[in-house]
């Protein structure tokens, strides 16, 4: 009776000529095995001449200031030939319609044109009506008018200013009718001048695929995109991520020889401080024939260890697997689907361990002849009392800030700058660095790192103990905070080694304001510049 009709839930049909009391109808999917047949007989009685309407297309999507055409086919039933008058009901106020010819002789068609849709948007069910004498037939037209440019997106989750959000967050927002897809941006800066994520989604949600930095503020926004034009960016939301961090191995690949029964190690040095409250092993990948020969053991810097996979999956080749103690499934074979599974032994052993130091992944090949290589591995740790002493962040907030490193450091710590920070400015805003402990702030003048503050006092206010080593500054530029402040106010012991002090031009204060009981020791090439 009919073939290749859209899967829209209903269809008007014309049954074959003849009468019967035992009719059944089968609906079958195209290029598929699934079908269904009605459960009771249908009776076909002798028909009378009539007509039906068929719309092509049965739905129409328009943009503002557009018009659209639909073919209205008038079909004859049992030789019906009387003219059919066409009309439309259910159009929004102000919208116009016209037919290319009206009335229509069955077997022919007319073009329905819908126009003047400015100022409306949304979905409308429109009736196309055919009338011939006392016979009235209708067919439903779905009209969608989309004005994405005038639509506003509302961000839903995470809620604005949320904290402790997963480092792989799920984002959601309201749906905009007519949007073909959505553009999503995530940034560490509220003006979105630099982007961490810039991607698209066909739906009103996004599972962020990359791991974001832990304990950091992120800003996100969404914009609808459609054939009718792009909408505006939503107002941005912000969230702060949980105290979880991902550390990648850097000495891979590591070869596993097929000769003998070798034991190989891969190392992962971590300079952050923190007490572990959860640990996962991620992206453990490698090549090896007969991986049932292999035993994988993870060691902390203090040699606490857990066998995470112990001679699993027999003759299967290669591995690509993640381990999480809260996973639902034990290791599945072959372990190559990139899935997340419970390890052979519990990862809870690592809880309450210090994360700082050199981690080690050991692989023992316990049989001869088969070899391969370890390709990648990383660990994700969630930490209490997190502290990053290597400054790698010049954003206004987040882990790796210079100011945060000063605050979380303890006596004897050395604060260094990541190799990526060069010819850069560390701006403290309205804060001053108040240091009351022995720490070392170390860089190299060739990196040209400048420390600024707009605070009311000197940029660095030192009250490190006058005994011991005091505060040691190496290889940095320190700028005076203003006309009435110095670069450093010293109330304790201060050691400068290859430091450049920039005094505020016209200031009556010295670059170093030394108070009673303080001391200054100069090493290397230290200079003062008035500017």
């Amino acid at each position: 009776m009919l073939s290749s009709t859209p899967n829209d839930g209903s269809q008007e049909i014309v049954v074959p000529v003849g009468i019967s009391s035992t009719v059944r109808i089968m609906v079958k999917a195209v290029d598929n095995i699934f079908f269904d047949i009605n459960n009771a007989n249908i009776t076909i009685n002798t028909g009378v001449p009539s007509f039906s309407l068929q719309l092509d297309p049965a739905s129409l999507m328009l943009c503002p200031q557009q018009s659209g055409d639909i073919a209205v086919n008038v079909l004859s039933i049992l030789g019906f030939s009387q003219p059919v008058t066409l009309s439309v009901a259910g159009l929004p106020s102000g919208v116009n319609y016209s037919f290319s010819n009206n009335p229509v002789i069955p077997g022919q068609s007319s073009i329905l044109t819908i126009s003047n849709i400015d100022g409306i948007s949304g979905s409308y069910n429109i009736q196309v009506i055919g009338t011939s004498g006392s016979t009235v037939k209708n067919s439903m037209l779905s009209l969608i008018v989309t004005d994405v440019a005038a639509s506003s997106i509302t961000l839903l989750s995470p809620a604005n200013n949320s904290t402790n959000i997963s480092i792989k967050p799920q984002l959601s927002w309201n749906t905009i009718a007519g949007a073909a897809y959505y553009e999503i941006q995530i940034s560490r800066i509220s003006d979105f001048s630099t982007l961490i994520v810039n991607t698209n989604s066909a739906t009103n949600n996004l599972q962020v695929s990359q791991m974001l930095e832990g304990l950091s503020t992120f800003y996100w926004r969404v914009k609808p995109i459609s054939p009718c034009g792009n909408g505006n960016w939503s107002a941005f939301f912000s969230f702060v991520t949980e105290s979880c961090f991902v550390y990648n191995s850097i000495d891979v690949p590591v070869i596993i020889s097929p000769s003998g029964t070798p034991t190989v190690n891969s190392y992962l040095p971590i300079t952050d401080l923190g007490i572990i409250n959860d640990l996962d092993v991620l992206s453990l990948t490698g090549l090896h024939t007969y991986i049932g020969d292999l035993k994988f053991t993870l060691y902390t810097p203090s040699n606490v260890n857990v066998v995470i996979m112990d001679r699993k999956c027999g003759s299967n080749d290669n591995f690509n697997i993640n381990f999480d103690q809260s996973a639902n499934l034990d290791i599945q074979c072959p372990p190559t689907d990139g899935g997340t599974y419970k390890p052979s032994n519990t990862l809870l052993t690592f809880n309450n361990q210090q994360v700082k130091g050199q981690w080690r992944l050991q692989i023992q090949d316990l049989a001869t002849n088969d070899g391969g290589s370890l390709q990648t591995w990383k660990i994700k740790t969630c930490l209490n009392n997190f502290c990053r002493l290597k400054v790698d962040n010049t954003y206004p907030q987040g882990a790796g800030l210079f100011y945060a490193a000063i605050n979380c450091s303890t006596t004897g710590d050395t604060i260094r700058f990541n190799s990526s920070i060069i010819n850069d400015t560390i701006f403290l805003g309205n804060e001053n660095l108040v240091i009351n402990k022995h720490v070392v702030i170390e860089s190299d003048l060739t990196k040209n790192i400048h420390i600024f503050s707009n605070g009311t006092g000197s940029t660095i206010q030192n009250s490190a103990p006058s005994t011991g080593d005091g505060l040691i500054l190496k290889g940095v530029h320190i700028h005076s905070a203003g006309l009435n402040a110095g670069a450093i106010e010293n109330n304790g012991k201060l050691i400068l080694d290859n430091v450049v002090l920039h005094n505020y031009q016209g200031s009556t204060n010295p670059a170093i304001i030394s108070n009673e009981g303080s001391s200054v020791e100069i090493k290397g090439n230290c200079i003062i510049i008035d500017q």
Side-chain angles (χ1 to χ4, degrees):
M1 291 188 294
L2 193 66
S3 63
S4 299
T5 185
N7 183 20
D8 55 10
S10 66
Q11 181 63 46
E12 185 174 300
I13 62 170
V14 177
V15 298
V17 175
I19 62 173
S20 175
S21 61
T22 58
V23 174
R24 298 288 180 102
I25 295 177
M26 179 176 70
V27 178
K28 183 178 182 299
V30 175
D31 297 327
N32 208 304
I33 63 172
F34 296 103
F35 67 90
D36 195 17
I37 299 175
N38 63 295
N39 297 324
N41 289 330
I42 297 173
T43 298
I44 300 177
N45 296 317
T46 302
V48 296
S50 186
F51 69 93
S52 66
L53 303 180
Q54 183 186 66
L55 306 182
D56 184 19
S59 64
L60 183 65
M61 178 178 288
L62 296 177
C63 303
Q65 301 180 352
Q66 281 187 330
S67 60
D69 293 338
I70 305 97
V72 182
N73 301 311
V74 180
L75 307 178
S76 175
I77 300 174
L78 298 178
F80 187 86
S81 60
Q82 297 301 309
V84 175
T85 300
L86 301 175
S87 60
V88 172
L91 280 173
S93 177
V95 175
N96 298 331
Y97 75 91
S98 62
F99 290 98
S100 60
N101 52 298
N102 195 15
V104 181
I105 301 299
Q108 298 181 1
S109 62
S110 179
I111 301 299
L112 167 61
T113 299
I114 295 178
S115 59
N116 194 36
I117 62 170
D118 293 358
I120 68 166
S121 64
S123 299
Y124 304 89
N125 291 321
I126 311 302
Q127 281 191 332
V128 179
I129 303 167
T131 303
S132 183
S134 62
T135 302
V136 178
K137 297 294 180 74
N138 60 68
S139 188
M140 192 67 68
L141 169 67
S142 175
L143 173 64
I144 301 172
V145 181
T146 175
D147 188 1
V148 167
S151 302
S152 298
I153 282 185
T154 300
L155 305 184
L156 300 177
S157 179
N160 197 21
N161 299 318
S162 296
T163 59
N164 201 36
I165 299 301
S166 168
I167 59 175
K168 284 186 67 176
Q170 175 89 23
L171 309 179
S172 65
W173 54 92
N174 71 308
T175 300
I176 299 298
Y181 62 93
Y182 302 89
E183 185 175 348
I184 305 98
Q185 293 182 343
I186 301 177
S187 178
R188 296 284 293 271
I189 305 175
S190 60
D191 66 4
F192 293 84
S193 54
T194 61
L195 299 177
I196 305 298
V197 173
N198 187 23
T199 189
N200 299 323
S201 174
T203 64
N204 67 323
N205 60 80
L206 174 72
Q207 174 64 65
V208 177
S209 59
Q210 71 188 70
M211 298 278 191
L212 303 179
E213 183 68 280
L215 272 183
S216 298
T217 299
F218 290 89
Y219 302 89
W220 66 289
R221 62 183 183 177
V222 179
K223 178 170 68 174
I225 308 296
S226 85
C228 298
N230 301 339
N232 297 319
W233 285 110
S234 66
F236 66 76
F237 274 10
S238 71
F239 61 85
V240 178
T241 47
E242 61 192 339
S243 182
C244 298
F245 303 87
V246 177
Y247 303 97
N248 298 285
S249 59
I250 57 176
D251 65 350
V252 286
V254 176
I255 301 301
I256 306 171
S257 173
S259 300
T261 56
T263 295
V264 300
N265 293 281
S266 176
Y267 297 93
L268 196 167
I270 297 176
T271 58
D272 290 342
L273 290 160
I275 303 301
I276 296 169
N277 63 61
D278 183 64
L279 183 143
D280 301 333
V281 179
L282 305 179
S283 301
L284 178 60
T285 69
L287 308 172
H288 194 281
T289 52
Y290 211 100
I291 60 169
D293 296 347
L294 302 181
K295 180 179 179 179
F296 297 79
T297 307
L298 181 62
Y299 289 81
T300 72
S302 60
N303 278 329
V304 174
N305 62 86
V306 172
V307 177
I308 56 176
M309 189 162 71
D310 190 2
R311 288 166 287 187
K312 295 286 186 179
C313 300
S315 62
N316 291 151
D317 296 340
N318 307 327
F319 50 94
N320 178 5
I321 192 169
N322 305 281
F323 294 108
D324 184 341
Q325 196 58 44
S326 63
N328 295 322
L329 296 175
D330 293 328
I331 297 169
Q332 304 292 297
C333 299
T336 54
D337 65 352
T340 300
Y341 302 99
K342 287 185 180 294
S344 295
N345 295 280
T346 179
L347 294 172
L348 298 180
T349 302
F350 294 127
N351 285 3
N352 299 313
Q353 296 292 311
Q354 172 59 247
V355 73
K356 183 180 180 181
Q358 183 156 271
W359 289 71
R360 174 166 59 102
L361 179 65
Q362 181 186 86
I363 303 176
Q364 295 168 276
D365 192 341
L366 301 173
T368 60
N369 297 325
D370 293 285
S373 63
L374 169 66
Q375 294 292 311
T376 62
W377 67 284
K378 60 183 74 171
I379 61 174
K380 173 194 171 190
T381 62
C382 296
L383 303 170
N384 298 325
N385 304 320
F386 172 81
C387 182
R388 178 167 294 171
L389 295 175
K390 178 173 283 189
V391 179
D392 60 1
N393 178 8
T394 58
Y395 294 111
Q397 308 92 8
L401 283 175
F402 180 54
Y403 189 80
I406 294 292
N407 285 341
C408 71
S409 63
T410 59
T411 295
D413 283 338
T414 297
I415 298 168
R416 296 183 173 90
F417 295 85
N418 194 59
S419 59
S420 62
I421 297 182
I422 188 168
N423 296 323
D424 217 330
T425 296
I426 306 296
F427 181 56
L428 305 174
N430 293 324
E431 302 290 342
N432 305 109
L433 286 180
V434 179
I435 303 174
N436 59 3
K437 53 200 167 188
H438 160 51
V439 292
V440 179
I441 300 173
E442 182 177 344
S443 184
D444 187 317
L445 278 178
T446 60
K447 289 189 173 182
N448 197 31
I449 296 173
H450 294 251
I451 301 173
F452 283 85
S453 169
N454 281 340
T456 56
S458 298
T459 300
I460 294 179
Q461 299 176 13
N462 175 45
S463 57
S466 57
T467 59
D469 291 325
L471 170 63
I472 302 175
L473 301 176
K474 294 184 177 182
V476 291
H477 295 254
I478 311 292
H479 291 251
S480 294
L483 188 63
N484 299 314
I488 302 172
E489 181 177 345
N490 187 28
N491 297 291
K493 184 175 182 179
L494 176 66
I495 299 175
L496 301 181
D497 187 350
N498 287 321
V499 171
V500 178
L501 301 177
H502 297 257
N503 205 23
Y504 204 88
Q505 189 171 18
S507 173
T508 57
N509 288 313
I512 301 176
I513 301 174
S514 294
N515 294 321
E516 185 177 353
S518 64
S519 65
V520 179
E521 182 179 342
I522 305 297
K523 295 182 178 181
N525 184 25
C526 295
I527 60 174
I528 298 175
I529 299 175
D530 288 323
Q531 61 178 168

